[in-house]
Amino acid sequence: MLRHTRNKCLSIIPRRYLFVPSNSFTDSKKKNVIRAKPRVKSTPKIMEDEAHQKKPQIDKSLIAKAKKDLRELRSLAKDVSEYIEPKDIDSLTTTKKISTELPPIDIDEATEDIFQEISDSKGKMKKHPKALPPSLSFPEKINQRLGLVSDLLVSRESTSNLPEKTRNDKWNILLTQLNAAGGFKELSEVDIRSFVNKIPLRSLRNLIPFIENMYHEAGVSVHYNTYYSFIRALSLGASISDTQIQVIEGYFNEIEKQTELKMDHYETKIAVYVKNKNKKKIEEVLGVMKAKNLPLSKSIYKSILSSYVYYTKDHRRAIEVFDSMKFLSESTKPDAKVYAQIIISCMMNDDIDKGLDLLQEMRDNNVKPNQSILSALAKGCARSRQHKFQAWNHLFQIYEYGWTPTLQTFEHMLYISAKDGDVELTRALFYKMLETNSVTPSAFISLMLAYANYQSPTSRTEPFLVSLTENGRLFKQNIMANVDFSKPIHGFPFLPTSRIPDGKFILAESSAIWAYTIMHNPSFVNNPHVAAPYLNIAYELGEFNDFKDRLNESTYLNDEGIPKVREIEIIEPNEETESPDSELQVVEPNENDTGLVKSPILNKLSGHLKDNRHKAPRDSMIYQIALDAAGKFKKFDFAQEIIKERGQFRKSNMFKKLSSKEQTKQDFQFAEKLVYCYVKMNLIEDAYSVVLSSVDRFPWGWKQLVPLNTAAINLGSSELAAAVRKIAQSNQVKHHGKIKSNDYKKYVMKRGY
């Protein structure tokens, strides 16, 4: 027992006093202390639905031990309470302290109550199995070699049924520690395989050589399942190089030495060759499966479908594979992801009606569309004159489903508003992307496209598509209300106003944005798909000097692969000579030239950027835009320069890499633009010579020849107009655009009427 020493030494525990205010400090009347009633043991109530439940059996020895410990704790608490209780009266008042003594309690009874409380199965605290430390997820021998490194690098979810997650994806450090502690030596193959399977595939991709070296040093052969993990890690990504294919094929050979290839191996093989765009290898694998009587699984059909949709872009074959999946068997019926792929293929090939039919087919088959499908349909409809009014409705369905729009959906919103020429909404959406640091190259292209499609409020005759519905009006109103262009984000040079009154402001803002992008994100401006709308802005809203300046400042001829030809230049006295460089001559800015609208910052940058790192290589699309500009501004010399440089471009590696079909398509498009250019200059004979020289190569039809025919009639050249019509009629028959009279007679005779 603790003893209280008042006078001999200082008290270990300081005294405590209770000051009780009263009406008089001299009031010495004793206050009666109301004794609390003895505690009555309460009987716990049992719910009716739990009355018949069987109580869990508890070890009686544990109960007795717990009661004994609680009894001792209670006695100790009582002794300490008596020790610290003050014995004298406060000197500041004559009022006695209110007694804090608790009523007498039966220790055995209290112990029983506490024990029942903490052992009650209906208590508020839920019992969870004690989670194992993260290091125990590895085999025991590997844990001993790793020590605490695995605890620092790897963490696991609190629920045991979820897969493990890496807190810090630094598996190379973990492997280095394991290798320093002995590596895989004296470890069983099962433990090694269990450890390797814990590594995420994206991390395993870069650790394969290190792991193979550890296998070699330990003298342990690699199991075929580990080889398969290596293959799955290397097959990640959208494309696979030939070098990676060789490594993967080597791993498949090692698997075949240990076991026969199974269905999942063949599925992975086909997926790998699809990403490598190797049709020959795909056919070989399918032939092997056919020889072994292995049926084509749904995964294989998905891989082949993705090959036709994304890699070879063969829409007809993609439709055939999709139809085969529908009617082959119940196990291969398309799901939402397969529908998404085929609908995306329809949108890429302007088959909008087919895509809408597939959406209705999904709903008829109780297949819920996902966000990718609705977003792709919205973008596809925006490119169609007939279906463009449905574009925003598909996007608003995403909100109706309660989904949060993804970044791709947001990019499609930008594209739809840009395609419609809604500069205000496009700028506001782009501003939102700036706030969240989520600007992508596609978003930047859409911003330039919106500028190129801009029409002044006085010249625009149709309302914006987003304003045709109540949801669209509210959507635009909310977006515009939450944007303040007077507060620039990251210094992005938007004009401090939400409304653009004139095309000159579009030219100025686009030029400033181009200069800003060169300084802060030059990778955005190296793409011809970005340069094309940037040039179209000057073509639609500016003058010829604006267009030519942008053409030379933002694009260049990529001469890789063009044969070097020695040129002998004879310089005549007092004569101006043309530059031998294939680059078009740069228009020097003139202070007195009011037609050139250019950002001052971009003007200063032009003098410092001597190379082509911040320019986009010219492709057929750029040359077509240049021909349009030459025709609009009636610049014959400029058109001749474009024709000459386009001939050089056809010799470059950039053009040679295209398929023969794509090369012919681009040549036909350029010839069509050249005819329009000459027609705008009233050079109809030159235009006719272009058609006549390529009539055997290109399928000239009424769609391409109507402008030339109309110009010939307007200029009074009836003979030329008749010749043009004859070419169109003959090509219709040649390219199955019109049925011959004899063929029609045969058709009627077979039909009988």
Side-chain angles (χ1 to χ4, degrees):
M1 296 292 293
L2 296 174
R3 298 182 62 185
H4 178 66
T5 57
R6 179 179 299 181
N7 299 323
K8 293 182 180 180
C9 63
L10 294 176
S11 175
I12 298 176
I13 302 176
R15 300 178 182 178
R16 296 185 302 171
Y17 300 98
L18 181 64
F19 178 73
V20 182
S22 62
N23 295 331
S24 175
F25 284 102
T26 59
D27 186 9
S28 60
K29 185 178 180 180
K30 295 183 179 181
K31 296 184 179 180
N32 297 327
V33 178
I34 302 175
R35 293 286 182 178
K37 295 181 180 180
R39 289 182 14 161
V40 180
K41 183 177 179 181
S42 60
T43 304
K45 296 182 180 180
I46 302 176
M47 302 297 292
E48 293 182 0
D49 56 347
E50 298 179 357
H52 301 287
Q53 292 182 359
K54 186 177 180 180
K55 294 185 178 181
Q57 298 294 331
I58 303 176
D59 192 356
K60 294 183 178 181
S61 61
L62 293 177
I63 297 176
K65 185 177 183 303
K67 290 181 179 180
K68 181 180 179 182
D69 293 340
L70 288 172
R71 191 179 299 108
E72 293 177 354
L73 181 62
R74 187 74 180 182
S75 300
L76 179 61
K78 184 177 180 181
D79 293 340
V80 173
S81 177
E82 292 177 354
Y83 171 74
I84 64 176
E85 182 183 2
K87 300 297 183 181
D88 55 347
I89 301 175
D90 193 350
S91 59
L92 296 179
T93 178
T94 57
T95 305
K96 287 189 175 182
K97 292 175 61 67
I98 297 178
S99 176
T100 58
E101 183 181 357
L102 295 175
I105 298 177
D106 186 358
I107 293 180
D108 292 336
E109 181 181 351
T111 302
E112 184 72 22
D113 291 344
I114 296 173
F115 183 79
Q116 289 292 338
E117 188 70 23
I118 64 176
S119 63
D120 189 4
S121 61
K122 298 182 296 179
K124 296 181 180 180
M125 296 180 61
K126 296 181 180 179
K127 297 182 179 180
H128 293 287
K130 187 176 180 180
L132 296 175
S135 60
L136 296 181
S137 61
F138 296 133
E140 183 178 356
K141 292 184 179 180
I142 293 180
N143 282 329
Q144 294 175 358
R145 298 186 181 186
L146 291 175
L148 298 177
V149 177
S150 59
D151 293 340
L152 297 175
L153 296 180
V154 184
S155 63
R156 190 163 58 178
E157 294 288 339
S158 59
T159 53
S160 58
N161 59 342
L162 294 178
E164 294 183 358
K165 290 186 177 181
T166 55
R167 184 172 63 231
N168 295 314
D169 194 9
K170 297 181 180 178
W171 286 86
N172 54 344
I173 300 177
L174 189 143
L175 283 175
T176 303
Q177 171 66 21
L178 180 60
N179 191 35
F184 293 159
K185 296 177 181 178
E186 300 179 359
L187 293 178
S188 65
E189 193 277 329
V190 176
D191 290 344
I192 299 174
R193 182 163 22 111
S194 176
F195 171 75
V196 174
N197 290 338
K198 298 290 182 181
I199 304 176
L201 294 180
R202 294 194 178 276
S203 301
L204 181 62
R205 181 188 182 97
N206 301 320
L207 299 174
I208 292 176
F210 191 81
I211 294 175
E212 286 185 317
N213 186 44
M214 293 176 67
Y215 267 104
H216 178 71
E217 292 179 353
V220 180
S221 60
V222 183
H223 194 268
Y224 65 87
N225 283 336
T226 304
Y227 278 127
Y228 185 57
S229 298
F230 292 167
I231 293 172
R232 291 172 56 210
L234 291 174
S235 63
L236 295 177
S239 61
I240 299 177
S241 63
D242 294 337
T243 304
Q244 291 175 322
I245 284 292
Q246 294 178 0
V247 177
I248 291 174
E249 288 178 343
Y251 289 150
F252 272 119
N253 293 333
E254 294 294 334
I255 293 175
E256 287 185 292
K257 292 178 182 178
Q258 301 183 28
T259 184
E260 186 178 359
L261 295 183
K262 301 178 179 60
M263 178 60 73
D264 54 349
H265 296 148
Y266 287 111
E267 292 174 352
T268 305
K269 252 190 175 184
I270 291 179
V272 165
Y273 289 134
V274 164
K275 294 181 180 180
N276 186 245
K277 302 180 183 179
N278 196 330
K279 295 175 63 176
K280 183 178 179 181
K281 289 289 186 179
I282 295 174
E283 293 175 356
E284 290 180 2
V285 176
L286 293 177
V288 172
M289 293 182 65
K290 184 178 180 181
K292 294 184 177 182
N293 295 324
L294 293 176
L296 298 182
S297 64
K298 187 175 183 178
S299 177
I300 292 178
Y301 275 108
K302 284 183 177 180
S303 299
I304 297 174
L305 180 63
S306 63
S307 171
Y308 290 135
V309 173
Y310 300 111
Y311 297 100
T312 61
K313 293 180 172 55
D314 192 338
H315 180 57
R316 183 180 62 83
R317 292 288 184 88
I319 292 292
E320 292 177 357
V321 173
F322 177 77
D323 291 338
S324 299
M325 294 181 68
K326 286 196 298 184
F327 303 111
L328 183 63
S329 65
E330 190 70 23
S331 61
T332 60
K333 279 194 173 181
D335 53 13
K337 292 183 178 180
V338 175
Y339 272 104
Q341 287 185 348
I342 195 63
I343 289 176
I344 289 173
S345 179
C346 292
M347 299 302 107
M348 292 168 59
N349 292 272
D350 297 328
D351 195 358
I352 311 299
D353 292 328
K354 179 67 174 178
L356 295 174
D357 292 341
L358 289 172
L359 177 63
Q360 185 60 41
E361 180 181 306
M362 290 182 64
R363 290 169 175 166
D364 294 340
N365 296 333
N366 296 324
V367 179
K368 185 178 179 181
N370 55 29
Q371 188 170 167
S372 299
I373 293 175
L374 297 176
S375 180
L377 281 171
K379 185 177 181 180
C381 290
R383 294 200 295 257
S384 171
R385 290 185 178 181
Q386 180 182 358
H387 303 285
K388 65 180 181 180
F389 305 101
Q390 305 178 32
W392 283 105
N393 293 334
H394 291 300
L395 288 179
F396 293 148
Q397 288 182 25
I398 295 175
Y399 291 97
E400 293 175 1
Y401 279 108
W403 299 330
T404 301
T406 61
L407 181 60
Q408 185 184 35
T409 301
F410 212 71
E411 290 175 350
H412 290 176
M413 288 182 184
L414 274 165
Y415 176 81
I416 295 171
S417 60
K419 189 73 174 177
D420 192 30
D422 194 347
V423 175
E424 297 176 2
L425 180 58
T426 306
R427 292 170 78 239
L429 292 173
F430 194 88
Y431 187 93
K432 288 294 183 182
M433 298 187 77
L434 286 172
E435 288 182 332
T436 56
N437 293 322
S438 56
V439 176
T440 61
S442 298
F444 187 74
I445 293 174
S446 297
L447 181 63
M448 294 292 110
L449 181 62
Y451 290 145
N453 293 334
Y454 169 80
Q455 292 180 351
S456 62
T458 56
S459 60
R460 188 177 181 92
T461 58
E462 296 181 356
F464 294 118
L465 296 178
V466 72
S467 303
L468 296 179
T469 61
E470 184 66 22
N471 289 336
R473 288 190 291 270
L474 292 176
F475 174 78
K476 183 176 181 179
Q477 181 180 351
N478 293 335
I479 292 292
M480 299 299 297
N482 294 326
V483 171
D484 187 3
F485 288 102
S486 62
K487 299 177 181 178
I489 304 296
H490 307 306
F492 198 83
F494 274 135
L495 293 175
T497 177
S498 60
R499 298 186 180 277
I500 304 296
D502 188 68
K504 294 295 183 182
F505 291 91
I506 295 291
L507 285 169
E509 184 172 278
S510 62
S511 179
I513 290 175
W514 194 265
Y516 176 89
T517 308
I518 289 176
M519 293 186 294
H520 294 85
N521 204 340
S523 61
F524 280 13
V525 299
N526 294 338
N527 189 349
H529 295 283
V530 181
Y534 180 66
L535 294 175
N536 273 326
I537 297 171
Y539 168 75
E540 296 289 347
L541 305 174
E543 302 295 335
F544 177 70
N545 288 339
D546 295 315
F547 179 85
K548 194 170 183 180
D549 178 74
R550 292 195 176 196
L551 178 66
N552 290 306
E553 294 296 332
S554 61
T555 63
Y556 72 100
L557 172 63
N558 187 359
D559 57 358
E560 293 182 3
I562 299 178
K564 303 297 181 181
V565 180
R566 294 181 60 185
E567 296 182 358
I568 300 176
E569 184 179 5
I570 301 176
I571 302 177
E572 298 290 342
N574 299 328
E575 289 187 3
E576 296 181 358
T577 59
E578 295 183 357
S579 174
D581 191 7
S582 61
E583 189 76 21
L584 299 180
Q585 294 183 358
V586 179
V587 178
E588 297 294 336
N590 186 2
E591 295 180 356
N592 299 325
D593 187 5
T594 58
L596 187 62
V597 180
K598 188 175 182 180
S599 169
I601 299 178
L602 185 58
N603 201 12
K604 293 180 181 179
L605 285 175
S606 301
H608 297 283
L609 302 177
K610 301 298 182 181
D611 52 19
N612 297 323
R613 288 180 300 173
H614 302 89
K615 296 181 181 180
R618 292 172 184 164
D619 59 358
S620 293
M621 180 172 50
I622 300 296
Y623 290 114
Q624 292 172 27
I625 297 173
L627 277 182
D628 285 337
K632 177 182 179 181
F633 300 111
K634 295 180 172 54
K635 299 293 182 179
F636 179 78
D637 294 338
F638 180 70
Q640 295 302 113
E641 293 177 7
I642 294 298
I643 295 171
K644 181 180 178 181
E645 187 175 309
R646 176 60 165 68
Q648 294 293 318
F649 168 74
R650 295 187 78 257
K651 302 176 184 178
S652 65
N653 293 335
M654 188 174 179
F655 186 81
K656 292 177 181 178
K657 290 179 180 179
L658 302 175
S659 62
S660 59
K661 182 179 179 181
E662 185 65 24
Q663 290 179 1
T664 303
K665 178 182 176 181
Q666 292 187 6
D667 287 342
F668 183 37
Q669 291 173 348
F670 183 80
E672 183 182 353
K673 292 291 184 180
L674 184 58
V675 170
Y676 293 164
C677 177
Y678 285 150
V679 168
K680 291 178 182 178
M681 298 180 190
N682 293 327
L683 302 175
I684 57 175
E685 292 183 357
D686 292 337
Y688 177 70
S689 63
V690 172
V691 176
L692 193 61
S693 62
S694 59
V695 68
D696 295 331
R697 185 183 178 194
F698 301 140
W700 293 99
W702 278 114
K703 179 181 178 181
Q704 295 82 21
L705 298 179
V706 163
L708 177 58
N709 181 66
T710 304
I713 294 174
N714 293 335
L715 294 176
S717 180
S718 58
E719 295 180 358
L720 183 59
V724 170
R725 289 195 297 270
K726 185 177 180 180
I727 292 176
Q729 291 172 358
S730 62
N731 277 344
Q732 278 186 333
V733 175
K734 181 178 179 181
H735 298 284
H736 308 286
K738 184 178 180 180
I739 190 171
K740 296 181 181 179
S741 58
N742 293 333
D743 294 335
Y744 179 73
K745 291 179 181 179
K746 293 179 181 179
Y747 170 73
V748 172
M749 291 174 62
K750 290 181 180 180
R751 190 178 59 179
Y753 59 91

